Amino acid sequence: MRDLSSGPGRVLVFVYGVFAVAATGRSLVQLGADADKAPVAYSLSLLAAVIYLVATTCLLLGGRRSWLIAVVACTIELVGVLVVGTLSYVDTALFPDKTVWSHFGQGYGFLPLVLPFVGLAWLRVTRPAAHGSTVQRGTVQRST
Amino acid sequence: MGAVLVLSVVALLGIAVLLVKDETAGDSLFALLAVIEVVLLVQLVIGSVQLSGTERDVSGVLFVSYLVGILTALPIGAFWSLAERTRAGTAVLGAAAFTVVALELRLDVIWAGAGA
C-alpha cells in the first residue's frame, strides 16, 4: 500500500497536526479556565482534539492497522462536525461556548468541515489491497 | 504586527507561484521564512513586554501561548517539507505560512481583549 504520509498525505499530516494542536490547546484552555460553563461543548472540544491526534498519528505511522484506525477517526470526525455543526445552529442553549466543530468550523475557515472529506478521500486512495494500482510490485495479492 | 502578515502573504504568493510552476522551494524562499521566524521571535519579546505593561483585559496565558505557538509552525513545516522535495513538500510550506497568518490574526483578536 502507499505510504500514508507522502505526497498529498504529507500536506494532510501537517494540517491534521495543526488541528490536533489547535483543538488540544482550545480544550485545555476551556477546561482549565471554567469547566462548568459549557460541559457539553468542552467535552466535544476534547473529543475533537483526541480524534485529530489519533488521525495525525495514524497517518504518520502508516500500515494496515493505522489505516483502519484512521478511517474510524475520520468517520467520527465527519459525524462529529456534521452533528455539532447542526446542533450549534438548532440548539444554541447546548453550546454557550464554542468548540472547533461549532457552526461547521466557522471559526477555523470551515476547514474542520472539509478536512474529514479530504482525509477519507486520501484513505480511499491508499486503501490496502486495493485492486491494481496500489498493489506493490513483486507481491501477489488475492482477495479471499 | 503588520510585518508578520505582510511577509507571510509575500511568502504565500511565492509558494503559490512555485506550486503552479511545479518547482521546489529554493534558498530565497527559505531565507524569507527565516526572516519571518526572526520577526516572530522579536514579536514574542515585544508582546511579552507589552503584556506586562498593559492595563487592558488580555488573557495572558492565552496570549503568550499563541506568541510561542506561532514560532513552531515554520520550523516544523520546513523540516517536514524538506523530507520530500516535491510539489506536496512545497504545499506543506504553504500550509505552514497560512498557519502563521491565521495565528497572527487570532493574536490580534486576543490582544484586543475579545479572545477566549
Side-chain angles (χ1 to χ4, degrees):
Chain A
M1 68 186 276
R2 270 177 83 179
D3 192 354
L4 287 178
S5 63
S6 69
R10 183 162 289 270
V11 187
L12 207 56
V13 168
F14 187 84
V15 179
Y16 263 102
V18 171
F19 271 93
V21 174
T24 308
R26 163 157 236 161
S27 64
L28 286 182
V29 168
Q30 287 177 331
L31 289 170
D34 198 358
D36 294 334
K37 189 178 154 201
V40 178
Y42 294 168
S43 312
L44 282 166
S45 277
L46 194 62
L47 173 70
V50 172
I51 292 294
Y52 286 126
L53 282 172
V54 169
T56 311
T57 312
C58 287
L59 287 172
L60 268 174
L61 288 176
R64 193 177 283 257
R65 185 178 296 165
S66 291
W67 182 87
L68 202 65
I69 301 172
V71 171
V72 175
C74 285
T75 309
I76 297 175
E77 186 194 345
L78 178 60
V79 173
V81 72
L82 290 177
V83 170
V84 173
T86 312
L87 279 179
S88 59
Y89 280 109
V90 176
D91 189 356
T92 45
L94 203 56
F95 295 95
D97 203 352
K98 285 196 163 186
T99 79
V100 183
W101 289 338
S102 295
H103 305 105
F104 302 109
Q106 192 183 30
Y108 297 82
F110 292 106
L111 272 176
L113 180 61
V114 180
L115 212 49
F117 285 104
V118 179
L120 286 171
W122 174 242
L123 289 168
R124 201 176 147 73
V125 174
T126 56
R127 68 191 182 280
H131 316 285
S133 61
T134 56
V135 176
Q136 282 178 353
R137 223 180 309 163
T139 58
V140 181
Q141 300 212 352
R142 229 174 255 282
S143 54
T144 48
Chain B
M1 292 282 278
V4 174
L5 285 179
V6 172
L7 290 171
S8 302
V9 169
V10 171
L12 274 174
L13 290 175
I15 292 165
V17 171
L18 289 174
L19 283 173
V20 170
K21 286 158 74 176
D22 197 7
E23 288 173 8
T24 54
D27 289 347
S28 53
L29 183 67
F30 279 104
L32 175 58
L33 295 180
V35 170
I36 297 174
E37 189 68 12
V38 171
V39 175
L40 289 174
L41 270 169
V42 173
Q43 176 178 258
L44 170 63
V45 176
I46 296 177
S48 305
V49 171
Q50 283 189 342
L51 180 67
S52 63
T54 188
E55 305 214 328
R56 274 195 277 178
D57 184 23
V58 178
S59 169
V61 177
L62 196 65
F63 187 65
V64 173
S65 65
Y66 266 77
L67 283 176
V68 175
I70 199 171
L71 288 171
T72 61
L74 291 179
I76 294 175
F79 280 112
W80 190 234
S81 158
L82 283 170
E84 186 182 321
R85 302 282 276 153
T86 60
R87 191 179 251 173
T90 311
V92 170
L93 287 180
F98 187 77
T99 307
V100 170
V101 173
L103 290 178
E104 188 69 22
L105 292 173
R106 251 329 256 151
L107 259 175
D108 260 8
V109 175
I110 296 168
W111 180 247

